[in-house]
Amino acid sequence: MEVTASLLHGGRLNDRLCRGVYTMRYVPSALMLIVLAGATSARAQDWARQMFKESRHDFGTVARFAKTEFAFSFNNPYVEDVHVASVRSSCGCTSVRVEKPTLKTYETSAIVATFNTHLFYGKRGATITVTFDKPFYAEVQLQVAGMIRSDLVLDPGSVILGTVEQGRGAEAHVAVQCHSRSIGPVTVAKPSSPYLTAQITPRPQGNSLFGYDLAVSLSPDAPVGYVNETLLLNTGDGATVPLAVEGRIEAAISVSPSPLFLGACEPGASATKQLIVKGAKPFRVVSAECSDPAVEVDCRAGAAAAKTLHIIPVRFTAGASAGAFQATVRLQTDAADRQPIEVPVFAKVGQ
């Protein structure tokens, strides 16, 4: 029997687990069984532990009903596929899920731990057991802990900005309910994002002793992308309580795929692909052009009627020379104050 190492951050896992060194040649089968049995010991679990950046997380002090999550990310540096067979929590105060159970080489996933602040309060903690069955059996244990205040309640548990069209801005509100006078006054720290502002105002809040209205505003000049921030509430009794801010900013008009790969063509051959142009409101694609005449863009259907979705054919005719092709398609819509949308296009001509 011969086991050879494939060196990719330590090579194949069967090499590492069976050898303790990087090669092992002609091991008798009986001895091999002994070695493999020993590979299930604590030392053999290291290959799985080494995939995780962190194994512990302290949520700190959080409010009742606050959305409280942490993602334990892990990466597969090995040649073999890695598979998570199961994940479980030792306490009902923490729910767990795996984002992606099967990872190929260099792929990343996460074990997401959620503190169940709507069901529990007080000091809580849990051990999360992650079980792998491929390429070998292993278990990794992760730890979470935190303090859930029963006298400070958030409704809803996070600032939900939702999906926002770029340039419009947004505002969301959270009711901060205080059920104990020992909490003292509640203030909000300045958001770390320059596109967010927060203001907290004393207001009666249902059956609580006192409460506040927390208003969070998103600036109209915020860029396209996800909003994933954390506000910090400071209480008079010295606690700092996190509050998640979530949202997504979409371009008023988006194009996909961008960039556009036109394909691999032989010299003189043609290929046609499609651009999907979407908007929140009906619009027309009034003109289209490309920086290279080898690409033709047909926007006649897009110019004929205003719709929220247009499919624009893009035809590429390869020249006589082989090699990489690159150009830019520019689309002009009738949306107010919109600059032309530029889409990089690529192709490969010949072998």
Side-chain angles (χ1 to χ4, degrees):
M1 174 181 177
E2 180 176 351
V3 181
T4 58
S6 174
L7 296 179
L8 174 62
H9 283 258
R12 293 185 181 275
L13 285 175
N14 57 349
D15 299 339
R16 300 178 66 191
L17 293 178
C18 295
R19 293 179 277 104
V21 293
Y22 282 91
T23 59
M24 181 180 69
R25 300 176 182 272
Y26 304 105
V27 180
S29 58
L31 177 58
M32 188 66 175
L33 291 175
I34 297 174
V35 174
L36 287 174
T40 62
S41 66
R43 189 166 68 91
Q45 310 287 319
D46 288 347
W47 71 267
R49 295 193 191 102
Q50 290 170 5
M51 293 191 297
F52 286 84
K53 295 180 179 179
E54 300 172 81
S55 61
R56 294 177 178 272
H57 180 72
D58 188 348
F59 288 114
T61 300
V62 299
R64 287 293 305 275
F65 293 95
K67 183 176 181 179
T68 307
E69 292 185 346
F70 182 78
F72 291 94
S73 64
F74 62 102
N75 174 270
N76 176 17
Y78 308 112
V79 170
E80 295 91 343
D81 289 355
V82 169
H83 180 256
V84 177
S86 66
V87 56
R88 65 183 187 273
S89 172
S90 65
C91 176
C93 63
T94 304
S95 299
V96 289
R97 61 181 173 85
V98 57
E99 287 186 342
K100 183 178 181 180
T102 302
L103 276 71
K104 294 188 177 298
T105 305
Y106 293 140
E107 288 186 337
T108 298
S109 182
I111 305 298
V112 180
T114 302
F115 233 16
N116 293 324
T117 60
H118 61 297
L119 297 175
F120 295 84
Y121 61 88
K123 289 185 177 181
R124 297 288 172 174
T127 297
I128 301 165
T129 301
V130 185
T131 302
F132 295 90
D133 61 355
K134 292 181 181 180
F136 298 98
Y137 180 87
E139 288 187 352
V140 175
Q141 291 190 330
L142 312 172
Q143 307 288 333
V144 294
M147 172 68 182
I148 306 171
R149 295 191 66 148
S150 61
D151 55 356
L152 186 65
V153 180
L154 301 179
D155 183 21
S158 62
V159 179
I160 305 171
L161 295 170
T163 301
V164 183
E165 182 182 329
Q166 186 183 24
R168 291 190 174 275
E171 184 173 286
H173 294 257
V174 171
V176 181
Q177 302 173 6
C178 303
H179 295 273
S180 172
R181 296 197 181 279
S182 64
I183 294 176
V186 178
T187 59
V188 59
K190 183 179 179 180
S192 59
S193 170
Y195 305 108
L196 293 175
T197 57
Q199 184 175 5
I200 191 165
T201 306
R203 296 279 174 82
Q205 298 291 339
N207 296 325
S208 61
L209 290 175
F210 61 101
Y212 301 85
D213 174 69
L214 175 64
V216 180
S217 299
L218 176 70
S219 172
D221 60 351
V224 171
Y226 286 93
V227 179
N228 188 10
E229 302 286 340
T230 300
L231 288 179
L232 298 178
L233 302 179
N234 299 313
T235 64
D237 59 5
T240 298
V241 181
L243 174 61
V245 182
E246 304 169 309
R248 184 176 67 170
I249 305 166
E250 287 187 341
I253 297 177
S254 62
V255 180
S256 64
S258 180
L260 173 65
F261 181 59
L262 298 167
C265 297
E266 293 297 323
S270 297
T272 300
K273 301 290 184 177
Q274 293 179 332
L275 286 174
I276 299 175
V277 189
K278 295 192 299 182
K281 297 180 179 180
F283 66 96
R284 294 186 305 123
V285 181
V286 296
S287 66
E289 62 180 12
C290 184
S291 59
D292 193 298
V295 176
E296 300 177 21
V297 187
D298 185 357
C299 70
R300 288 174 295 178
K307 297 187 294 183
T308 57
L309 185 147
H310 296 275
I311 298 177
I312 308 296
V314 180
R315 179 181 174 85
F316 169 64
T317 302
S321 301
F325 173 86
Q326 180 176 349
T328 301
V329 168
R330 294 180 179 85
L331 304 176
Q332 179 66 60
T333 73
D334 64 355
D337 300 325
R338 295 297 172 188
Q339 297 295 320
I341 303 170
E342 295 191 348
V343 181
V345 294
F346 300 89
K348 182 180 179 182
V349 180
Q351 299 297 324

